Amino acid sequence: AQSVTQPDIHITVSEGASLELRCNYSYGATPYLFWYVQSPGQGLQLLLKYFSGDTLVQGIKGFEAEFKRSQSSFNLRKPSVHWSDAAEYFCAVGPHNTDKLIFGTGTRLQVFP
Amino acid sequence: EPEVTQTPSHQVTQMGQEVILRCVPISNHLYFYWYRQILGQKVEFLVSFYNNEISEKSEIFDDQFSVERPDGSNFTLKIRSTKLEDSAMYFCASSEQTGSIYEQYFGPGTRLTVT
């Protein structure tokens, strides 16, 4: 069955530190992969997506993610975190030939000054 | 920038009551979705809707649920007889095209509490 795992429920980092949020998926082929962010009171906003081609994708707000087929992973990274990055981050897969997205449980990021 | 809006932000209802959650998708979008997230669990797909018909639905979307586009701007989710386990955050989304490859734009959600 298709699924997404985000192993880290809650991560705390200092402002200016680097960040990596983990995402592993289970899917028979190469899925469409997404990272969404949700700030308090806001909807889910798309940070970046991977469909094919270059396995390192750049997104908004200085985020990037790398697709690693051998590890079934799509980890999100940012070299230097800002206090405004504090939010909930969701990894999702989009199976082919379907409308739906399959989400992970999310990782809550807390940023200390 | 266009955005998806949802009302109310928080709805409290008693078990067995009917609730209607409302969404206004982005105006030029034709495909609409509902997802929900029970506290501490994953965001789950409920249903997709296009051209006044359900395109796809999950096993969660049983006869207690229905969706409707009553006019040119609103998209609603109705739960006929709420149960305690329906307590969740409900997200509406819309997209220009169908298929998971296309970006879905999400609203801020409605928190439904069933007592």
Side-chain angles (χ1 to χ4, degrees), chain B residues 4-38:
Chain B
V4 176
T5 59
Q6 291 184 243
T7 55
S9 58
H10 191 188
Q11 173 93 43
V12 181
T13 189
Q14 289 189 327
M15 193 168 51
Q17 296 297 303
E18 175 184 286
V19 294
I20 297 176
L21 309 183
R22 302 181 192 281
C23 168
V24 178
I26 294 173
S27 61
N28 64 332
H29 287 185
L30 300 176
Y31 300 85
F32 315 115
Y33 313 86
W34 283 101
Y35 292 78
R36 78 172 186 189
Q37 185 183 29
I38 295 172

PDB file of all heavy atoms in Angstrom, chain B residues 4-38:
ATOM      1  N   VAL B   4      -7.804  29.893  -1.200  1.00  0.00           N
ATOM      2  CA  VAL B   4      -8.987  29.126  -0.836  1.00  0.00           C
ATOM      3  C   VAL B   4      -9.395  29.558   0.574  1.00  0.00           C
ATOM      4  O   VAL B   4      -8.541  29.660   1.463  1.00  0.00           O
ATOM      5  CB  VAL B   4      -8.680  27.614  -0.851  1.00  0.00           C
ATOM      6  CG1 VAL B   4      -9.883  26.813  -0.382  1.00  0.00           C
ATOM      7  CG2 VAL B   4      -8.243  27.179  -2.253  1.00  0.00           C
ATOM      8  N   THR B   5     -10.665  29.836   0.739  1.00  0.00           N
ATOM      9  CA  THR B   5     -11.147  30.222   2.059  1.00  0.00           C
ATOM     10  C   THR B   5     -12.137  29.180   2.579  1.00  0.00           C
ATOM     11  O   THR B   5     -12.809  28.502   1.793  1.00  0.00           O
ATOM     12  CB  THR B   5     -11.815  31.608   2.040  1.00  0.00           C
ATOM     13  OG1 THR B   5     -12.915  31.587   1.136  1.00  0.00           O
ATOM     14  CG2 THR B   5     -10.821  32.681   1.596  1.00  0.00           C
ATOM     15  N   GLN B   6     -12.203  29.073   3.903  1.00  0.00           N
ATOM     16  CA  GLN B   6     -13.100  28.103   4.522  1.00  0.00           C
ATOM     17  C   GLN B   6     -13.810  28.745   5.713  1.00  0.00           C
ATOM     18  O   GLN B   6     -13.210  29.521   6.457  1.00  0.00           O
ATOM     19  CB  GLN B   6     -12.327  26.876   5.020  1.00  0.00           C
ATOM     20  CG  GLN B   6     -11.779  26.014   3.914  1.00  0.00           C
ATOM     21  CD  GLN B   6     -11.110  24.763   4.443  1.00  0.00           C
ATOM     22  OE1 GLN B   6      -9.908  24.556   4.278  1.00  0.00           O
ATOM     23  NE2 GLN B   6     -11.906  23.894   5.079  1.00  0.00           N
ATOM     24  N   THR B   7     -15.086  28.412   5.849  1.00  0.00           N
ATOM     25  CA  THR B   7     -15.851  28.869   6.999  1.00  0.00           C
ATOM     26  C   THR B   7     -16.713  27.733   7.538  1.00  0.00           C
ATOM     27  O   THR B   7     -17.164  26.870   6.772  1.00  0.00           O
ATOM     28  CB  THR B   7     -16.778  30.049   6.618  1.00  0.00           C
ATOM     29  OG1 THR B   7     -17.606  29.653   5.527  1.00  0.00           O
ATOM     30  CG2 THR B   7     -15.997  31.286   6.278  1.00  0.00           C
ATOM     31  N   PRO B   8     -16.931  27.701   8.861  1.00  0.00           N
ATOM     32  CA  PRO B   8     -16.258  28.523   9.864  1.00  0.00           C
ATOM     33  C   PRO B   8     -14.844  27.999  10.128  1.00  0.00           C
ATOM     34  O   PRO B   8     -14.486  26.940   9.635  1.00  0.00           O
ATOM     35  CB  PRO B   8     -17.160  28.336  11.092  1.00  0.00           C
ATOM     36  CG  PRO B   8     -17.666  26.922  10.945  1.00  0.00           C
ATOM     37  CD  PRO B   8     -17.847  26.713   9.459  1.00  0.00           C
ATOM     38  N   SER B   9     -14.103  28.706  10.923  1.00  0.00           N
ATOM     39  CA  SER B   9     -12.775  28.216  11.292  1.00  0.00           C
ATOM     40  C   SER B   9     -12.893  27.129  12.356  1.00  0.00           C
ATOM     41  O   SER B   9     -12.051  26.236  12.426  1.00  0.00           O
ATOM     42  CB  SER B   9     -11.895  29.359  11.790  1.00  0.00           C
ATOM     43  OG  SER B   9     -12.503  29.996  12.898  1.00  0.00           O
ATOM     44  N   HIS B  10     -13.923  27.214  13.170  1.00  0.00           N
ATOM     45  CA  HIS B  10     -14.137  26.209  14.211  1.00  0.00           C
ATOM     46  C   HIS B  10     -15.641  25.988  14.366  1.00  0.00           C
ATOM     47  O   HIS B  10     -16.403  26.953  14.457  1.00  0.00           O
ATOM     48  CB  HIS B  10     -13.529  26.670  15.551  1.00  0.00           C
ATOM     49  CG  HIS B  10     -13.482  25.605  16.591  1.00  0.00           C
ATOM     50  ND1 HIS B  10     -13.120  25.853  17.899  1.00  0.00           N
ATOM     51  CD2 HIS B  10     -13.741  24.268  16.539  1.00  0.00           C
ATOM     52  CE1 HIS B  10     -13.162  24.723  18.607  1.00  0.00           C
ATOM     53  NE2 HIS B  10     -13.532  23.749  17.803  1.00  0.00           N
ATOM     54  N   GLN B  11     -16.030  24.729  14.352  1.00  0.00           N
ATOM     55  CA  GLN B  11     -17.433  24.353  14.492  1.00  0.00           C
ATOM     56  C   GLN B  11     -17.549  23.315  15.602  1.00  0.00           C
ATOM     57  O   GLN B  11     -16.869  22.296  15.564  1.00  0.00           O
ATOM     58  CB  GLN B  11     -17.958  23.764  13.180  1.00  0.00           C
ATOM     59  CG  GLN B  11     -19.355  23.190  13.243  1.00  0.00           C
ATOM     60  CD  GLN B  11     -20.414  24.187  12.845  1.00  0.00           C
ATOM     61  OE1 GLN B  11     -20.265  24.916  11.876  1.00  0.00           O
ATOM     62  NE2 GLN B  11     -21.481  24.238  13.598  1.00  0.00           N
ATOM     63  N   VAL B  12     -18.430  23.615  16.543  1.00  0.00           N
ATOM     64  CA  VAL B  12     -18.709  22.652  17.603  1.00  0.00           C
ATOM     65  C   VAL B  12     -20.142  22.174  17.416  1.00  0.00           C
ATOM     66  O   VAL B  12     -21.056  22.984  17.258  1.00  0.00           O
ATOM     67  CB  VAL B  12     -18.535  23.283  19.002  1.00  0.00           C
ATOM     68  CG1 VAL B  12     -18.818  22.237  20.080  1.00  0.00           C
ATOM     69  CG2 VAL B  12     -17.130  23.847  19.171  1.00  0.00           C
ATOM     70  N   THR B  13     -20.333  20.875  17.447  1.00  0.00           N
ATOM     71  CA  THR B  13     -21.666  20.334  17.249  1.00  0.00           C
ATOM     72  C   THR B  13     -21.869  19.122  18.145  1.00  0.00           C
ATOM     73  O   THR B  13     -20.907  18.515  18.625  1.00  0.00           O
ATOM     74  CB  THR B  13     -21.874  19.936  15.785  1.00  0.00           C
ATOM     75  OG1 THR B  13     -23.246  19.596  15.567  1.00  0.00           O
ATOM     76  CG2 THR B  13     -21.033  18.728  15.402  1.00  0.00           C
ATOM     77  N   GLN B  14     -23.124  18.786  18.364  1.00  0.00           N
ATOM     78  CA  GLN B  14     -23.417  17.613  19.177  1.00  0.00           C
ATOM     79  C   GLN B  14     -23.538  16.387  18.278  1.00  0.00           C
ATOM     80  O   GLN B  14     -23.976  16.472  17.120  1.00  0.00           O
ATOM     81  CB  GLN B  14     -24.717  17.827  19.954  1.00  0.00           C
ATOM     82  CG  GLN B  14     -24.585  18.847  21.072  1.00  0.00           C
ATOM     83  CD  GLN B  14     -25.823  18.884  21.958  1.00  0.00           C
ATOM     84  OE1 GLN B  14     -26.935  18.672  21.480  1.00  0.00           O
ATOM     85  NE2 GLN B  14     -25.633  19.143  23.241  1.00  0.00           N
ATOM     86  N   MET B  15     -23.210  15.269  18.840  1.00  0.00           N
ATOM     87  CA  MET B  15     -23.295  14.007  18.132  1.00  0.00           C
ATOM     88  C   MET B  15     -24.699  13.820  17.557  1.00  0.00           C
ATOM     89  O   MET B  15     -25.699  14.105  18.244  1.00  0.00           O
ATOM     90  CB  MET B  15     -22.959  12.884  19.115  1.00  0.00           C
ATOM     91  CG  MET B  15     -22.708  11.543  18.503  1.00  0.00           C
ATOM     92  SD  MET B  15     -21.986  10.396  19.713  1.00  0.00           S
ATOM     93  CE  MET B  15     -23.121  10.558  21.077  1.00  0.00           C
ATOM     94  N   GLY B  16     -24.766  13.401  16.319  1.00  0.00           N
ATOM     95  CA  GLY B  16     -26.046  13.179  15.667  1.00  0.00           C
ATOM     96  C   GLY B  16     -26.555  14.363  14.870  1.00  0.00           C
ATOM     97  O   GLY B  16     -27.487  14.212  14.071  1.00  0.00           O
ATOM     98  N   GLN B  17     -25.947  15.509  15.070  1.00  0.00           N
ATOM     99  CA  GLN B  17     -26.357  16.696  14.321  1.00  0.00           C
ATOM    100  C   GLN B  17     -25.714  16.714  12.947  1.00  0.00           C
ATOM    101  O   GLN B  17     -24.665  16.124  12.704  1.00  0.00           O
ATOM    102  CB  GLN B  17     -25.978  17.964  15.087  1.00  0.00           C
ATOM    103  CG  GLN B  17     -26.701  18.120  16.420  1.00  0.00           C
ATOM    104  CD  GLN B  17     -28.192  18.257  16.256  1.00  0.00           C
ATOM    105  OE1 GLN B  17     -28.677  19.145  15.555  1.00  0.00           O
ATOM    106  NE2 GLN B  17     -28.948  17.367  16.874  1.00  0.00           N
ATOM    107  N   GLU B  18     -26.365  17.450  12.056  1.00  0.00           N
ATOM    108  CA  GLU B  18     -25.816  17.664  10.714  1.00  0.00           C
ATOM    109  C   GLU B  18     -24.945  18.912  10.715  1.00  0.00           C
ATOM    110  O   GLU B  18     -25.269  19.906  11.372  1.00  0.00           O
ATOM    111  CB  GLU B  18     -26.971  17.844   9.720  1.00  0.00           C
ATOM    112  CG  GLU B  18     -26.526  18.200   8.310  1.00  0.00           C
ATOM    113  CD  GLU B  18     -27.714  18.452   7.402  1.00  0.00           C
ATOM    114  OE1 GLU B  18     -28.389  17.470   7.015  1.00  0.00           O
ATOM    115  OE2 GLU B  18     -27.962  19.637   7.067  1.00  0.00           O
ATOM    116  N   VAL B  19     -23.841  18.841  10.000  1.00  0.00           N
ATOM    117  CA  VAL B  19     -22.998  20.027   9.836  1.00  0.00           C
ATOM    118  C   VAL B  19     -22.667  20.222   8.358  1.00  0.00           C
ATOM    119  O   VAL B  19     -22.599  19.258   7.598  1.00  0.00           O
ATOM    120  CB  VAL B  19     -21.675  19.930  10.635  1.00  0.00           C
ATOM    121  CG1 VAL B  19     -21.945  19.917  12.110  1.00  0.00           C
ATOM    122  CG2 VAL B  19     -20.865  18.742  10.207  1.00  0.00           C
ATOM    123  N   ILE B  20     -22.506  21.465   8.003  1.00  0.00           N
ATOM    124  CA  ILE B  20     -22.068  21.812   6.647  1.00  0.00           C
ATOM    125  C   ILE B  20     -20.830  22.675   6.760  1.00  0.00           C
ATOM    126  O   ILE B  20     -20.855  23.733   7.406  1.00  0.00           O
ATOM    127  CB  ILE B  20     -23.169  22.559   5.870  1.00  0.00           C
ATOM    128  CG1 ILE B  20     -24.390  21.655   5.705  1.00  0.00           C
ATOM    129  CG2 ILE B  20     -22.643  22.997   4.499  1.00  0.00           C
ATOM    130  CD1 ILE B  20     -25.567  22.341   5.030  1.00  0.00           C
ATOM    131  N   LEU B  21     -19.777  22.210   6.148  1.00  0.00           N
ATOM    132  CA  LEU B  21     -18.526  22.963   6.104  1.00  0.00           C
ATOM    133  C   LEU B  21     -18.432  23.619   4.730  1.00  0.00           C
ATOM    134  O   LEU B  21     -18.672  22.973   3.712  1.00  0.00           O
ATOM    135  CB  LEU B  21     -17.331  22.047   6.348  1.00  0.00           C
ATOM    136  CG  LEU B  21     -17.420  21.151   7.594  1.00  0.00           C
ATOM    137  CD1 LEU B  21     -16.137  20.343   7.754  1.00  0.00           C
ATOM    138  CD2 LEU B  21     -17.736  21.943   8.830  1.00  0.00           C
ATOM    139  N   ARG B  22     -18.043  24.878   4.737  1.00  0.00           N
ATOM    140  CA  ARG B  22     -18.074  25.638   3.496  1.00  0.00           C
ATOM    141  C   ARG B  22     -16.672  26.037   3.037  1.00  0.00           C
ATOM    142  O   ARG B  22     -15.804  26.334   3.847  1.00  0.00           O
ATOM    143  CB  ARG B  22     -18.935  26.881   3.669  1.00  0.00           C
ATOM    144  CG  ARG B  22     -20.352  26.554   4.092  1.00  0.00           C
ATOM    145  CD  ARG B  22     -21.222  27.784   4.245  1.00  0.00           C
ATOM    146  NE  ARG B  22     -22.475  27.435   4.912  1.00  0.00           N
ATOM    147  CZ  ARG B  22     -23.515  26.854   4.303  1.00  0.00           C
ATOM    148  NH1 ARG B  22     -23.453  26.589   3.007  1.00  0.00           N
ATOM    149  NH2 ARG B  22     -24.602  26.559   4.979  1.00  0.00           N
ATOM    150  N   CYS B  23     -16.545  26.096   1.743  1.00  0.00           N
ATOM    151  CA  CYS B  23     -15.266  26.413   1.119  1.00  0.00           C
ATOM    152  C   CYS B  23     -15.534  27.285  -0.108  1.00  0.00           C
ATOM    153  O   CYS B  23     -16.515  27.060  -0.826  1.00  0.00           O
ATOM    154  CB  CYS B  23     -14.571  25.113   0.722  1.00  0.00           C
ATOM    155  SG  CYS B  23     -13.140  25.274  -0.363  1.00  0.00           S
ATOM    156  N   VAL B  24     -14.667  28.257  -0.327  1.00  0.00           N
ATOM    157  CA  VAL B  24     -14.696  29.004  -1.576  1.00  0.00           C
ATOM    158  C   VAL B  24     -13.373  28.746  -2.273  1.00  0.00           C
ATOM    159  O   VAL B  24     -12.324  29.244  -1.851  1.00  0.00           O
ATOM    160  CB  VAL B  24     -14.896  30.508  -1.345  1.00  0.00           C
ATOM    161  CG1 VAL B  24     -14.878  31.256  -2.688  1.00  0.00           C
ATOM    162  CG2 VAL B  24     -16.209  30.768  -0.626  1.00  0.00           C
ATOM    163  N   PRO B  25     -13.377  27.925  -3.317  1.00  0.00           N
ATOM    164  CA  PRO B  25     -12.130  27.618  -4.039  1.00  0.00           C
ATOM    165  C   PRO B  25     -11.655  28.833  -4.831  1.00  0.00           C
ATOM    166  O   PRO B  25     -12.351  29.841  -4.965  1.00  0.00           O
ATOM    167  CB  PRO B  25     -12.556  26.486  -4.983  1.00  0.00           C
ATOM    168  CG  PRO B  25     -13.857  25.977  -4.457  1.00  0.00           C
ATOM    169  CD  PRO B  25     -14.510  27.166  -3.816  1.00  0.00           C
ATOM    170  N   ILE B  26     -10.471  28.733  -5.369  1.00  0.00           N
ATOM    171  CA  ILE B  26      -9.934  29.767  -6.247  1.00  0.00           C
ATOM    172  C   ILE B  26     -10.806  29.838  -7.495  1.00  0.00           C
ATOM    173  O   ILE B  26     -11.190  28.798  -8.051  1.00  0.00           O
ATOM    174  CB  ILE B  26      -8.461  29.475  -6.569  1.00  0.00           C
ATOM    175  CG1 ILE B  26      -7.646  29.612  -5.287  1.00  0.00           C
ATOM    176  CG2 ILE B  26      -7.931  30.409  -7.655  1.00  0.00           C
ATOM    177  CD1 ILE B  26      -6.193  29.195  -5.405  1.00  0.00           C
ATOM    178  N   SER B  27     -11.090  31.038  -7.937  1.00  0.00           N
ATOM    179  CA  SER B  27     -12.196  31.251  -8.872  1.00  0.00           C
ATOM    180  C   SER B  27     -12.043  30.531 -10.208  1.00  0.00           C
ATOM    181  O   SER B  27     -13.029  30.106 -10.793  1.00  0.00           O
ATOM    182  CB  SER B  27     -12.392  32.752  -9.110  1.00  0.00           C
ATOM    183  OG  SER B  27     -11.227  33.310  -9.670  1.00  0.00           O
ATOM    184  N   ASN B  28     -10.856  30.389 -10.755  1.00  0.00           N
ATOM    185  CA  ASN B  28     -10.716  29.740 -12.055  1.00  0.00           C
ATOM    186  C   ASN B  28     -10.387  28.249 -11.951  1.00  0.00           C
ATOM    187  O   ASN B  28     -10.081  27.607 -12.954  1.00  0.00           O
ATOM    188  CB  ASN B  28      -9.662  30.447 -12.907  1.00  0.00           C
ATOM    189  CG  ASN B  28      -8.273  30.342 -12.287  1.00  0.00           C
ATOM    190  OD1 ASN B  28      -8.141  30.234 -11.072  1.00  0.00           O
ATOM    191  ND2 ASN B  28      -7.251  30.366 -13.111  1.00  0.00           N
ATOM    192  N   HIS B  29     -10.446  27.716 -10.751  1.00  0.00           N
ATOM    193  CA  HIS B  29     -10.179  26.290 -10.575  1.00  0.00           C
ATOM    194  C   HIS B  29     -11.453  25.483 -10.807  1.00  0.00           C
ATOM    195  O   HIS B  29     -12.555  25.938 -10.511  1.00  0.00           O
ATOM    196  CB  HIS B  29      -9.636  26.015  -9.172  1.00  0.00           C
ATOM    197  CG  HIS B  29      -8.228  26.476  -9.001  1.00  0.00           C
ATOM    198  ND1 HIS B  29      -7.510  26.226  -7.850  1.00  0.00           N
ATOM    199  CD2 HIS B  29      -7.380  27.117  -9.831  1.00  0.00           C
ATOM    200  CE1 HIS B  29      -6.292  26.721  -7.982  1.00  0.00           C
ATOM    201  NE2 HIS B  29      -6.196  27.273  -9.181  1.00  0.00           N
ATOM    202  N   LEU B  30     -11.252  24.278 -11.330  1.00  0.00           N
ATOM    203  CA  LEU B  30     -12.395  23.447 -11.677  1.00  0.00           C
ATOM    204  C   LEU B  30     -12.470  22.158 -10.872  1.00  0.00           C
ATOM    205  O   LEU B  30     -13.462  21.440 -10.951  1.00  0.00           O
ATOM    206  CB  LEU B  30     -12.320  23.084 -13.175  1.00  0.00           C
ATOM    207  CG  LEU B  30     -12.319  24.267 -14.147  1.00  0.00           C
ATOM    208  CD1 LEU B  30     -12.145  23.761 -15.568  1.00  0.00           C
ATOM    209  CD2 LEU B  30     -13.622  25.064 -14.020  1.00  0.00           C
ATOM    210  N   TYR B  31     -11.413  21.857 -10.110  1.00  0.00           N
ATOM    211  CA  TYR B  31     -11.330  20.587  -9.400  1.00  0.00           C
ATOM    212  C   TYR B  31     -11.234  20.878  -7.912  1.00  0.00           C
ATOM    213  O   TYR B  31     -10.443  21.728  -7.500  1.00  0.00           O
ATOM    214  CB  TYR B  31     -10.123  19.773  -9.881  1.00  0.00           C
ATOM    215  CG  TYR B  31     -10.195  19.473 -11.350  1.00  0.00           C
ATOM    216  CD1 TYR B  31      -9.727  20.380 -12.291  1.00  0.00           C
ATOM    217  CD2 TYR B  31     -10.775  18.296 -11.805  1.00  0.00           C
ATOM    218  CE1 TYR B  31      -9.822  20.129 -13.649  1.00  0.00           C
ATOM    219  CE2 TYR B  31     -10.868  18.033 -13.159  1.00  0.00           C
ATOM    220  CZ  TYR B  31     -10.405  18.956 -14.072  1.00  0.00           C
ATOM    221  OH  TYR B  31     -10.501  18.693 -15.407  1.00  0.00           O
ATOM    222  N   PHE B  32     -12.013  20.166  -7.141  1.00  0.00           N
ATOM    223  CA  PHE B  32     -12.143  20.495  -5.730  1.00  0.00           C
ATOM    224  C   PHE B  32     -11.985  19.230  -4.894  1.00  0.00           C
ATOM    225  O   PHE B  32     -12.331  18.130  -5.338  1.00  0.00           O
ATOM    226  CB  PHE B  32     -13.502  21.145  -5.449  1.00  0.00           C
ATOM    227  CG  PHE B  32     -13.865  22.203  -6.453  1.00  0.00           C
ATOM    228  CD1 PHE B  32     -14.940  22.037  -7.297  1.00  0.00           C
ATOM    229  CD2 PHE B  32     -13.105  23.354  -6.561  1.00  0.00           C
ATOM    230  CE1 PHE B  32     -15.270  23.000  -8.232  1.00  0.00           C
ATOM    231  CE2 PHE B  32     -13.417  24.330  -7.501  1.00  0.00           C
ATOM    232  CZ  PHE B  32     -14.504  24.147  -8.343  1.00  0.00           C
ATOM    233  N   TYR B  33     -11.482  19.434  -3.682  1.00  0.00           N
ATOM    234  CA  TYR B  33     -11.121  18.296  -2.833  1.00  0.00           C
ATOM    235  C   TYR B  33     -11.458  18.604  -1.378  1.00  0.00           C
ATOM    236  O   TYR B  33     -11.433  19.762  -0.948  1.00  0.00           O
ATOM    237  CB  TYR B  33      -9.608  18.030  -2.918  1.00  0.00           C
ATOM    238  CG  TYR B  33      -9.050  18.014  -4.314  1.00  0.00           C
ATOM    239  CD1 TYR B  33      -8.653  19.198  -4.945  1.00  0.00           C
ATOM    240  CD2 TYR B  33      -8.920  16.821  -5.023  1.00  0.00           C
ATOM    241  CE1 TYR B  33      -8.155  19.198  -6.231  1.00  0.00           C
ATOM    242  CE2 TYR B  33      -8.421  16.819  -6.307  1.00  0.00           C
ATOM    243  CZ  TYR B  33      -8.039  18.007  -6.909  1.00  0.00           C
ATOM    244  OH  TYR B  33      -7.543  17.999  -8.193  1.00  0.00           O
ATOM    245  N   TRP B  34     -11.720  17.544  -0.639  1.00  0.00           N
ATOM    246  CA  TRP B  34     -11.771  17.623   0.815  1.00  0.00           C
ATOM    247  C   TRP B  34     -10.813  16.591   1.393  1.00  0.00           C
ATOM    248  O   TRP B  34     -10.762  15.442   0.931  1.00  0.00           O
ATOM    249  CB  TRP B  34     -13.173  17.351   1.353  1.00  0.00           C
ATOM    250  CG  TRP B  34     -14.129  18.490   1.195  1.00  0.00           C
ATOM    251  CD1 TRP B  34     -15.102  18.625   0.255  1.00  0.00           C
ATOM    252  CD2 TRP B  34     -14.210  19.669   2.012  1.00  0.00           C
ATOM    253  NE1 TRP B  34     -15.775  19.805   0.419  1.00  0.00           N
ATOM    254  CE2 TRP B  34     -15.246  20.472   1.497  1.00  0.00           C
ATOM    255  CE3 TRP B  34     -13.499  20.128   3.125  1.00  0.00           C
ATOM    256  CZ2 TRP B  34     -15.610  21.699   2.050  1.00  0.00           C
ATOM    257  CZ3 TRP B  34     -13.853  21.344   3.676  1.00  0.00           C
ATOM    258  CH2 TRP B  34     -14.901  22.114   3.148  1.00  0.00           C
ATOM    259  N   TYR B  35     -10.083  17.043   2.401  1.00  0.00           N
ATOM    260  CA  TYR B  35      -9.208  16.200   3.187  1.00  0.00           C
ATOM    261  C   TYR B  35      -9.555  16.432   4.655  1.00  0.00           C
ATOM    262  O   TYR B  35     -10.153  17.452   5.015  1.00  0.00           O
ATOM    263  CB  TYR B  35      -7.731  16.572   2.992  1.00  0.00           C
ATOM    264  CG  TYR B  35      -7.146  16.287   1.633  1.00  0.00           C
ATOM    265  CD1 TYR B  35      -7.387  17.126   0.543  1.00  0.00           C
ATOM    266  CD2 TYR B  35      -6.314  15.191   1.441  1.00  0.00           C
ATOM    267  CE1 TYR B  35      -6.833  16.862  -0.703  1.00  0.00           C
ATOM    268  CE2 TYR B  35      -5.747  14.926   0.197  1.00  0.00           C
ATOM    269  CZ  TYR B  35      -6.010  15.769  -0.861  1.00  0.00           C
ATOM    270  OH  TYR B  35      -5.450  15.510  -2.085  1.00  0.00           O
ATOM    271  N   ARG B  36      -9.142  15.492   5.498  1.00  0.00           N
ATOM    272  CA  ARG B  36      -9.311  15.737   6.920  1.00  0.00           C
ATOM    273  C   ARG B  36      -8.088  15.230   7.674  1.00  0.00           C
ATOM    274  O   ARG B  36      -7.333  14.368   7.192  1.00  0.00           O
ATOM    275  CB  ARG B  36     -10.564  15.051   7.462  1.00  0.00           C
ATOM    276  CG  ARG B  36     -10.406  13.563   7.700  1.00  0.00           C
ATOM    277  CD  ARG B  36     -11.616  12.967   8.410  1.00  0.00           C
ATOM    278  NE  ARG B  36     -11.367  11.568   8.735  1.00  0.00           N
ATOM    279  CZ  ARG B  36     -12.288  10.743   9.195  1.00  0.00           C
ATOM    280  NH1 ARG B  36     -13.542  11.181   9.396  1.00  0.00           N
ATOM    281  NH2 ARG B  36     -11.990   9.502   9.496  1.00  0.00           N
ATOM    282  N   GLN B  37      -7.897  15.815   8.857  1.00  0.00           N
ATOM    283  CA  GLN B  37      -6.811  15.373   9.721  1.00  0.00           C
ATOM    284  C   GLN B  37      -7.340  15.234  11.140  1.00  0.00           C
ATOM    285  O   GLN B  37      -7.647  16.240  11.803  1.00  0.00           O
ATOM    286  CB  GLN B  37      -5.627  16.349   9.694  1.00  0.00           C
ATOM    287  CG  GLN B  37      -4.442  15.850  10.497  1.00  0.00           C
ATOM    288  CD  GLN B  37      -3.287  16.825  10.536  1.00  0.00           C
ATOM    289  OE1 GLN B  37      -3.487  18.032  10.452  1.00  0.00           O
ATOM    290  NE2 GLN B  37      -2.071  16.321  10.657  1.00  0.00           N
ATOM    291  N   ILE B  38      -7.452  14.009  11.585  1.00  0.00           N
ATOM    292  CA  ILE B  38      -7.767  13.752  12.983  1.00  0.00           C
ATOM    293  C   ILE B  38      -6.521  14.089  13.789  1.00  0.00           C
ATOM    294  O   ILE B  38      -5.391  13.823  13.343  1.00  0.00           O
ATOM    295  CB  ILE B  38      -8.190  12.287  13.186  1.00  0.00           C
ATOM    296  CG1 ILE B  38      -9.495  12.035  12.430  1.00  0.00           C
ATOM    297  CG2 ILE B  38      -8.345  11.955  14.652  1.00  0.00           C
ATOM    298  CD1 ILE B  38      -9.923  10.583  12.380  1.00  0.00           C
TER     299      ILE B  38
END
